[in-house]
Structure formats: structure tokens, C-alpha cells
């Protein structure tokens, strides 16, 4: 068992089962052994790959989205451009390159802030983005006040979810217990019943941590003006289902095996995030499928431009990566984009059904 596995095993034996939410929080963010503290495994050679690592077009279009939103905001300067969980810095590097070319004034107004808890990834971000002189933060609170645009790609799926499980006598907290010398899921204390029909054994997930992040983002946006873009995977409407999943080296593994050494994620509850944004006074848009979002921002035209200068081999790679981003069976449908904005900004680019 991993080092964290042994710690958790001892703790559960001493203190009793851990709620899934606490288990996931420790697996991801334990100060010493948490996956996002100690592993830097994004990319083809790591555990998982993300949209900006698949194609440069993803970050370029997100950059242009931010530049267009800034124009709708009345071109404030400085503009805090905040990325949550920037990974290897690829999205932001592509975004900055794209806006330097086309959106005069935006690049000069930018003040870049990166929220990241992983020291190894901070180093990679430094290597990719040093010219833009970013500041790093553990939390959003320390980003200086002022008009802001927040970008979060595959950030919210890395936050812990709470699970409750339906038993014959109602809903219970879902917990991680010790059984036969191993970690195992179990039903814990009974809990308030949500207003949702479900059979025995059904699992319902909510994301108190995700909603708290969104509440903080939306409160800032409402106070200072701006918007946020969340791209991640999950259903458009909350539905029962256990989506906790672990991957290591691109292979699915049990979420209870090797805690801290594999990436642990859950589908994002867009219903809950949009509601948290609205409760803080922001307007919420979407979620819409990633394919619709990228098409409306012009993925086809950008791909066509890049294809003109591509060798046949490069063209094959480019076409394959664009398909991967937008095909329904790949990332096009499961991945979604949600925006929140201060009420005065209007509809963010790509979220108007008419465009
Ligand atoms: N956005 C990047 C990386 C996604 S992986 C991409 O699309 O490639 C999730 C990112 O969020 C990583 O950079 C991880 O270190 C960071 N992260 C995870 N939990 C975090 C937390 N609680 N606070 C800040 N950053 C976190």
C-alpha cells in the first residue's frame, strides 16, 4: 500500500470510517502525500492528458474568449487574468501568444495570477510563462482586487466530492472503512434526504468544495466586474451516479488502491456550480457542450489556417487532435463549458445560442 494508504488505514482503524469527501481531499491535497502536492503527471507520458495538451488551438481560443470578454467589460486596465490549476502552463502560453497577435491592448492590460498548490507544476508553469511575470497563489483570496477574468480547465474535477448512498432506510453518508485488511466503501451515518427518487444502492454526489470555490469567484466578479470560464466533464443536469474514478498511467484503477499515487476525479456538478454562481449575484451561462463552445469560437477556421502551413504528417496530427476535442464520442459532449459573469457584462462569447 502507498504511504498515504497506510496513514489512512491506521487513522480509520483508530478513529472510524472517513467520509468519501474527506478521503478524496486527503488523496488529492494531503500536505505531504496528496496527488496534487507530489505528482506532476499531466501529458502523454503521465497519468492523464487534457485539452490544452491535445491541441494548441484550445488555449488560443480560450485566450481570444478572454480578450472578447474584456472588450465587453469596457477594457479595464489592469485586468487580473487568473487561472485555477494551470497544469503545465500550456493553455496560458497558447492563450497569451494568441492575444498578443490579434487583440491590441488586452495583452498590455493583463496582470497574470496562477492558483496552484503543486510545487512541481509551479516550476513547469514558471518555465512556460516567465515572460508574462505571473504571481502564484494557493488560494483565490490573495489575488489582488480589481476587474478579473478566471479560467479553470479541468480544475473543478480535481476537487473532492461528497457522496451519499441510498439504503433501505434512507440516505447515508458514503464512507471509506477498513474491511479484511483493505479499504472498502460502506454506508455511514444517516443523513438528510435529498428530494430525488433513487433505488437502494444509488449514490448521489455533490461538491461542497466546488461550490465554495465558485461562490468565491462569483463574489469577486460581482464586486469588481468580470467573468469566469469553467471547462470540465460532467452531466448538464445533476443525476444520481458514482463517478469517482482513479487513473494511473492512462489506465483506470480502483479509487481505493494506492491513495495519493493516482489521479482521483469525479464528474463536475454543473447544476450546483451554476446555482452557487447565481446565489452570489452573478449571471450563469450554460453549460454547453465543449464541441459547441469551440465551434462557436472558430475552431474550424483556426484549424484551416494551421493546416495551410502543415506537412502531411502534421496535418494528420492536427486533424486528429481537433476531432478529439469536438467529436461526441471523444471530448465533445461529456466536456462542457460554463460561464459566470457580472450582470453588467452581458452574454460571454460562445454562450449566445444565436452565434
Ligand atoms: N488546467 C490544466 C491542468 C488540469 S489538472 C490542464 O488543463 O492541463 C488540475 C490542476 O489543478 C493541476 O495543476 C493541479 O495541481 C491543480 N490543483 C488541484 N487541486 C488544487 C487546489 N485545491 N488548489 C489549487 N490548484 C489545484
Amino acid at each position: 500500500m502507498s504511504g498515504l494508504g497506510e496513514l489512512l488505514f491506521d487513522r480509520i482503524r483508530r478513529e472510524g470510517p472517513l467520509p468519501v469527501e474527506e478521503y478524496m481531499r486527503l488523496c488529492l491535497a494531503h500536505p505531504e502525500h496528496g496527488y496534487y502536492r507530489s505528482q506532476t503527471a499531466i501529458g502523454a507520458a503521465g497519468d492523464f492528458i487534457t485539452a490544452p495538451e491535445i491541441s494548441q488551438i484550445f488555449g488560443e481560443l480560450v485566450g481570444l474568449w478572454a480578450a472578447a470578454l474584456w472588450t465587453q467589460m469596457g477594457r479595464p486596465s489592469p485586468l487580473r487574468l487568473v487561472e485555477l490549476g494551470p497544469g503545465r502552463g500550456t493553455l496560458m502560453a497558447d492563450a497569451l501568444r494568441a492575444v498578443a497577435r490579434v487583440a491590441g491592448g488586452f495583452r498590455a492590460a493583463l496582470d497574470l495570477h496562477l492558483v496552484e498548490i503543486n510545487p512541481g507544476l509551479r516550476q513547469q508553469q514558471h518555465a512556460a510563462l516567465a515572460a508574462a511575470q505571473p504571481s502564484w497563489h494557493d488560494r483565490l483570496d490573495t489575488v489582488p482586487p480589481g476587474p478579473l477574468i478566471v479560467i479553470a480547465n479541468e480544475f473543478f474535477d480535481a476537487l473532492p466530492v461528497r457522496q451519499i448512498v441510498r439504503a433501505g432506510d434512507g440516505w447515508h453518508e458514503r464512507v471509506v472503512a477498513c474491511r479484511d485488511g483493505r479499504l472498502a466503501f460502506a454506508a455511514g451515518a444517516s443523513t438528510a434526504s435529498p428530494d430525488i427518487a433513487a433505488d437502494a444502492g444509488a449514490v448521489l454526489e455533490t461538491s461542497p468544495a466546488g461550490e465554495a470555490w465558485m461562490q468565491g469567484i462569483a463574489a469577486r466578479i460581482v464586486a469588481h466586474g468580470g467573468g469566469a470560464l469553467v471547462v470540465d466533464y460532467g452531466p448538464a443536469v445533476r443525476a444520481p451516479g458514482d463517478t469517482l474514478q482513479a487513473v494511473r498511467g492512462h489506465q483506470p484503477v480502483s479509487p481505493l488502491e494506492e491513495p495519493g499515487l493516482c489521479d482521483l476525479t469525479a464528474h463536475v456538478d454543473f447544476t450546483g456550480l451554476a446555482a452557487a454562481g447565481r446565489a452570489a449575484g452573478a449571471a450563469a451561462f450554460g453549460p454547453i457542450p465543449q464541441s459547441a463552445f469551440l465551434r462557436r469560437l472558430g475552431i474550424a477556421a483556426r484549424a484551416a489556417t494551421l493546416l495551410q502551413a502543415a506537412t502531411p504528417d502534421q496535418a494528420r496530427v492536427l486533424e486528429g487532435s481537433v476531432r478529439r476535442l469536438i467529436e461526441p464520442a471523444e471530448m465533445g459532449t461529456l466536456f462542457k463549458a460554463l460561464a459566470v459573469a457580472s450582470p453588467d457584462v452581458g452574454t460571454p462569447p460562445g454562450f449566445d445560442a444565436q452565434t
Side-chain angles (χ1 to χ4, degrees), residues 101-189:
R101 248 186 267 140
V102 297
F106 180 58
R107 183 68 190 79
L110 285 186
D111 175 29
L112 184 59
H113 295 271
L114 306 175
V115 179
E116 176 60 68
I117 56 169
N118 185 312
L121 290 177
R122 278 190 180 198
Q123 273 175 19
Q124 295 186 19
Q125 292 155 20
H126 186 268
L129 298 167
Q133 299 184 307
S135 315
W136 278 269
H137 305 262
D138 286 330
R139 303 184 315 274
L140 190 61
D141 320 8
T142 53
V143 173
L148 77 163
I149 294 179
V150 179
I151 306 293
N153 185 64
E154 287 210 43
F155 172 75
F156 279 88
D157 67 77
L159 299 176
V161 293
R162 178 180 183 218
Q163 290 189 328
I164 58 175
V165 57
R166 174 89 201 186
D169 64 345
W171 291 89
H172 293 252
E173 187 78 31
R174 195 168 190 229
V175 296
V176 176
C178 296
R179 196 184 298 141
D180 304 330
R182 305 173 66 116
L183 297 176
F185 289 112

Side-chain angles (χ1 to χ4, degrees), residues 262-277:
C262 40
D263 186 32
L264 203 53
T265 63
H267 283 190
V268 166
D269 173 23
F270 286 104
T271 310
L273 292 190

Side-chain angles (χ1 to χ4, degrees), residues 244-330:
L244 195 62
Q245 58 181 7
V247 295
R248 191 169 189 194
H250 300 270
Q251 297 300 318
V253 293
S254 157
L256 301 181
E257 238 168 67
E258 313 261 49
L261 296 182
C262 40
D263 186 32
L264 203 53
T265 63
H267 283 190
V268 166
D269 173 23
F270 286 104
T271 310
L273 292 190
R278 287 196 185 101
F285 303 87
I288 58 173
Q290 174 165 296
S291 57
F293 180 65
L294 295 177
R295 283 203 169 96
R296 290 173 190 173
L297 294 182
I299 191 170
R302 180 64 183 135
T305 305
L306 289 173
L307 279 172
Q308 281 170 7
T311 64
D313 278 352
Q314 288 171 332
R316 256 192 308 280
V317 172
L318 182 67
E319 284 166 345
S321 56
V322 168
R323 268 201 304 278
R324 199 160 164 197
L325 293 181
I326 62 177
E327 283 286 311
E330 305 257 1

